[in-house]
Amino acid sequence: MRSMIWLIIPAILLAAIQARAAEITALAACADKVFTEINRTQKWSGKAPAGCRARVVVEKRPTGVFVTAWSIEPADGGWVRTAFSAGMGYAEIARKKDLAVARQDIMTRAGHLGRCLESINTVNDPLDCRDSATKSYLAGEESGIENKRLIWLDDNGRHTVAEFAYGDTEATPSPPADLMGGQPLLPGMIINLHVIDDQS
């Protein structure tokens, strides 16, 4: 069994190298649409926006709203998960001009993170990004190896984090918990952005 796992790992690594900046940008575009939806309706529908194939979770935090979008793709003998998380303050979401600036900032930072991820996967160089990698060996009911890497910009700017993970565990990988940590925003729950904006 162990020798079989080591035969599968190179194929998963090859799939890992296929990750490109476009994946992070596509996930950021999904998050962008969620922020726009909340601006327009003051709530989240609970569904991924039209044209977005990613899974989405929205969190309400004291300072604003955090959106995490991720996709899981099968790879030879395993899976690959790519995720992106971004935060936006309540006042930014409420004000049209601030929203436009924040949306542009998120997309720019996502493109930056995508380039760093591509560099990591091709030449193991995170460029000017910060990154943290972990490798887990699982045994028992769920056996295999999971590799996970978080990437972020260490510039005291907006919360934007990318995650790239791959493994050969038999079970479907869980959502990217390291990117989340707040209170989930329930579908249809009203966020009174105008009251929050008036208090800021």
Side-chain angles (χ1 to χ4, degrees):
M1 178 67 177
R2 182 173 294 276
S3 61
M4 189 70 170
I5 289 174
W6 289 111
L7 289 174
I8 292 171
I9 292 299
I12 297 175
L13 287 173
L14 181 61
I17 291 173
Q18 303 306 314
R20 295 292 180 257
E23 292 183 63
I24 300 299
T25 303
L27 293 171
C30 290
D32 175 75
K33 290 180 180 179
V34 172
F35 286 121
T36 302
E37 174 187 333
I38 295 172
N39 164 270
R40 190 179 66 252
T41 66
Q42 296 194 48
K43 59 185 177 181
W44 180 49
S45 65
K47 300 176 182 178
C52 176
R53 295 183 299 175
R55 303 176 193 188
V56 178
V57 169
V58 180
E59 297 175 72
K60 182 180 179 183
R61 297 192 182 183
T63 56
V65 174
F66 283 57
V67 178
T68 300
W70 74 96
S71 62
I72 300 172
E73 301 293 336
D76 290 340
W79 49 266
V80 174
R81 181 180 70 211
T82 309
F84 176 80
S85 176
M88 194 180 291
Y90 292 116
E92 290 180 303
I93 300 173
R95 302 169 186 165
K96 295 283 187 184
K97 289 184 179 179
D98 289 351
L99 176 66
V101 171
R103 291 174 61 198
Q104 180 61 48
D105 184 36
I106 287 172
M107 295 307 298
T108 299
R109 295 173 76 83
H112 193 151
L113 292 172
R115 289 189 295 276
C116 291
L117 173 60
E118 186 169 357
S119 179
I120 287 169
N121 283 339
T122 53
V123 295
N124 199 30
D125 180 4
L127 301 177
D128 60 336
C129 293
R130 298 291 302 273
D131 72 314
S132 172
T134 59
K135 187 172 187 176
S136 303
Y137 297 87
L138 306 176
E141 292 183 12
E142 184 180 343
S143 61
I145 299 173
E146 292 184 3
N147 293 269
K148 181 168 57 177
R149 189 178 293 263
L150 294 177
I151 308 159
W152 67 97
L153 298 170
D154 192 18
D155 60 359
N156 295 317
R158 179 182 309 280
H159 168 89
T160 46
V161 181
E163 181 201 69
F164 184 68
Y166 59 93
D168 65 345
T169 51
E170 296 177 6
T172 302
S174 59
D178 286 352
L179 302 189
M180 302 180 283
Q183 175 186 359
L185 183 64
L186 299 176
M189 179 179 171
I190 297 294
I191 303 175
N192 197 331
L193 295 173
H194 299 297
V195 170
I196 295 170
D197 189 24
D198 290 341
Q199 294 173 349
S200 62

